Amino acid sequence: MDLQFTRHRRLRQNPAIRNLIREHHLHVHDLIYPLFVIHGHNVRNEISSMPGVFQLSLDQLEQEIKEIVMLGIQGVILFGIPEDKDEIGSGAYHDHGIVQEATRLIKQIAPKLLVIADTCLCEFTDHGHCGVIHEGKVLNDPSLDLLARTAISQARAGADMIAPSNMMDGFVAAIRKGLDEAGFEDVPIMSYAVKYASSFYGPFRDAAHSAPQFWDRKTYQMDPANGREALREAYSDVVEGADILMVKPALAYMDIIYQVKQQFNLPLAAYNVSGEYAMIKAAAQNGWVDEKKIVIEMLTGMKRAGADIIITYFAKDVAKWLKEE
């Protein structure tokens, strides 16, 4: 047979060759596990739309943290569910708020575990929005002071990193200035730089009790149809002092992860969000997909797109699977 063609399959002949030339590898150190902490005692509420994920009271944290550490996961991101809410989200920046108390406790249990504090007001406001509301609008600039106060309170409690998710204009600048002036100049900011007004957040809002009570968040979160806007948002956060950028969600925004990574020389996180998690869990429970294979493929795809860090509710499962391999 007189044909000229390239034999790509030569490098696919067996597992050893495939392992040698594999371009992207998923590692347990890539993963951050989200935790939902709540007031009360002996509370371990499984979230119905997120099987295997729980709201945990502080007295339930020790067992969870020890498992996370044992699996080799190096970081958690904290979301708090307060006992009381008000119009300005004062529980977010109270020195004895739920996130602050959980941070102190985790640092006692596992001092070397990286504790990242989600910095937003939505879980703590009675209206469910990420800023101050006045005369039918979510106000930008008055919200910045409250966000900076929240970040300072979280850092004072021992948070290793601040992760502001509110999407107010100037939030990185305000938080960086507040942290520096409070003596926390070494605390990095992982900015939710590119956060879309996505339909993939539904299960999270069940978990965090953070659904807006009226309107939606489209005046401050991004339109899912926009790509160039993502680069403008990321650029602003780079200029304002972000240390790590984030794209959220991840699965439907691989192109955005790629573009942000190509454009900016900062570490990049991708948030594998609750809706992405719930879809796979539901399909796996029905026997429609192989959960392990599809999760590894999905997260490896995020790495291939450019993510250095992946925040995922699958973190504990993935860590177990990687240990088995």
Side-chain angles (χ1 to χ4, degrees):
M1 185 171 61
D2 188 18
L3 294 175
Q4 297 293 322
F5 56 88
T6 303
R7 294 190 180 274
H8 298 286
R9 292 180 59 193
R10 288 175 183 149
L11 297 180
R12 302 172 189 159
Q13 294 299 306
N14 56 60
I17 292 176
R18 293 194 295 271
N19 288 338
L20 281 172
I21 67 166
R22 183 161 292 142
E23 298 174 21
H24 300 279
H25 297 265
L26 188 64
H27 193 278
V28 67
H29 291 170
D30 301 327
L31 307 175
I32 294 172
Y33 186 59
L35 284 176
F36 296 96
V37 289
I38 192 169
H39 289 281
H41 298 282
N42 202 31
V43 177
R44 187 177 175 85
N45 295 331
E46 186 170 27
I47 299 153
S48 60
S49 54
M50 300 174 69
V53 178
F54 298 83
Q55 298 169 333
L56 299 170
S57 55
L58 297 180
D59 58 332
Q60 294 292 304
L61 272 181
E62 183 170 0
Q63 177 182 348
E64 187 79 5
I65 294 303
K66 287 183 175 179
E67 181 187 14
I68 289 167
V69 171
M70 181 271 295
L71 289 170
I73 297 168
Q74 295 189 121
V76 295
I77 184 166
L78 291 181
F79 300 93
I81 303 156
E83 284 185 303
D84 301 301
K85 303 187 179 192
D86 57 36
E87 63 181 6
I88 57 172
S90 60
Y93 47 87
H94 194 289
D95 280 341
H96 295 285
I98 185 64
V99 170
Q100 290 80 356
E101 292 296 335
T103 299
R104 293 186 184 98
L105 180 57
I106 292 171
K107 281 300 180 183
Q108 291 175 11
I109 298 167
K112 294 183 180 179
L113 184 67
L114 185 74
V115 176
I116 303 167
D118 178 80
T119 305
C120 198
L121 303 176
C122 59
E123 297 109 300
F124 301 90
T125 56
D126 53 17
H127 46 72
H129 281 282
C130 304
V132 176
I133 289 181
H134 182 66
E135 295 182 353
K137 291 183 179 180
V138 179
L139 300 183
N140 193 90
D141 295 7
S143 302
L144 297 180
D145 177 62
L146 300 184
L147 293 165
R149 290 174 64 183
T150 300
I152 294 166
S153 177
Q154 292 168 337
R156 188 181 297 123
D160 299 291
M161 185 180 295
I162 300 301
S165 60
N166 53 88
M167 288 297 284
M168 297 294 112
D169 291 337
F171 69 95
V172 173
I175 289 172
R176 183 73 272 160
K177 182 174 184 291
L179 289 172
D180 290 353
E181 290 179 351
F184 297 111
E185 60 275 358
D186 290 332
V187 174
I189 296 173
M190 178 169 67
S191 169
Y192 287 65
V194 180
K195 183 179 180 181
Y196 284 90
S198 172
S199 299
F200 283 97
Y201 301 150
F204 174 91
R205 291 172 181 172
D206 292 340
H209 299 174
S210 63
Q213 299 303 300
F214 45 82
W215 313 329
D216 53 40
R217 293 175 177 153
K218 293 181 180 179
T219 64
Y220 47 101
Q221 294 180 0
M222 289 176 48
D223 186 337
N226 292 353
R228 293 191 301 273
E229 183 183 2
L231 300 181
R232 297 197 298 272
E233 285 278 2
Y235 175 77
S236 295
D237 289 4
V238 171
V239 171
E240 291 174 20
D243 300 283
I244 300 172
L245 301 175
M246 186 196 300
V247 174
K248 180 183 179 183
L251 191 56
Y253 298 88
M254 295 281 203
D255 60 321
I256 304 302
I257 295 171
Y258 178 80
Q259 290 179 61
V260 172
K261 185 63 175 181
Q262 294 299 305
Q263 190 75 23
F264 303 103
N265 190 27
L266 283 180
L268 180 61
Y271 200 140
N272 177 215
V273 299
S274 59
E276 299 165 2
Y277 175 88
M279 289 191 303
I280 292 176
K281 281 291 186 181
Q285 287 178 351
N286 279 283
W288 298 335
V289 298
D290 183 313
E291 181 177 349
K292 175 181 175 180
K293 289 181 179 179
I294 204 168
V295 169
I296 295 294
E297 181 177 340
M298 174 181 65
L299 300 187
T300 302
M302 294 171 194
K303 288 288 300 280
R304 189 183 65 247
D308 303 293
I309 301 162
I310 300 174
I311 302 171
T312 178
Y313 304 96
F314 288 111
K316 292 198 297 183
D317 293 328
V318 172
K320 293 172 186 176
W321 295 332
L322 293 175
K323 276 181 177 289
E324 292 170 1
E325 294 179 1

